Amino acid sequence: MSASTESALRAPSPVPRSEGGWSLWVRQALAVFRLEVKKNFLGRRAFLIYLLAGAPVILMAAMSVELGRSDDARIVFANLYEGLILRTIVFFGCAWIFMNLFRGEVVDKSLHYYFLCPLRREVLVAGKYLSGLVTSVVLFSFSTAGSVFFLYFSLRSGSSTQATQIGVSHAMAYVGVTALGCLGYGAVFMVIGLFFRNPMIPALIAWGWEFINFLLPPVLKKISIVHYLHSLVPIPVPEGPFAIVADPTPAYLSIPGLLVLTIVLLMFSGFRIRRMEIRYGGE
């Protein structure tokens, strides 16, 4: 962002009373969204995200022949989805996208351009979060859908009859879980990027908490995002012999719970950004 882009965020002067309030905030949030989503897809930090999103598709394409001969291809894919796509690609991809929404601006010494605009900072948070959410959902949903396609292709081309059990419902379920993962993890990492000067340490702590979720007692399992995502996948995978078993949370609680968590974290982000001061020299 440069000084020339400030005009995209400025309100008309004078602003008629009828165009103030929510109408103005929505237009400004959409202006921020347009600026940010272009950077997310085409900026210099986007290359790593494309590599992450393409990795499971390439892996599934390479494994497609062997999967077609397997009697447990659906279970193999379920393990690959939870272990690689959900817990690794989506987690670290969202960390990279959402932590850089503000932290990247500070590193690039460009955040002050936004702060100089006649723009509520909560609106800035909303626009940036929406841009990160669209970027992550588009890339990682295509990654998930491409992986499911190669699974279906392998089963159709093999001797297995499992292809009849892999349909649109499974594909939509996996894509939906991926989108919810982007929703929840995105809000978490936006908060981390705003509250911590070095966000890598809290991000690794968050990853460790999600990683050991299977070892936690049932009450603590629910203080994580992966527990609710695991409850929503069409084919839940066993968590291992050392796992502490907990009942999955039903969809009618998991989905609203993730939405409420996202809203609360965005409120924290808005609270933080209102009190944020820029000190480029300390970065």
Side-chain angles (χ1 to χ4, degrees), residues 183-201:
L183 182 83
Y185 286 131
V188 169
F189 289 119
M190 174 171 273
V191 169
I192 290 175
L194 280 169
F195 275 84
F196 297 93
R197 179 170 296 179
N198 181 5
M200 292 307 300
I201 294 176

Side-chain angles (χ1 to χ4, degrees), residues 95 101 111 113 119 144 172 194 200 219-220 226 236 249 262 266:
L101 290 176
L111 184 58
Y113 290 118
L119 174 73
T144 302
M172 292 181 64
L194 280 169
M200 292 307 300
V219 174
L220 293 181
V226 74
T249 303
T262 299
L266 289 178

Side-chain angles (χ1 to χ4, degrees), residues 57 86 90 137 162 204 220 226 230 264 278:
V57 180
L86 196 58
V90 173
V137 168
Q162 296 178 83
L204 290 174
L220 293 181
V226 74
H230 177 76
V264 170
I278 302 175

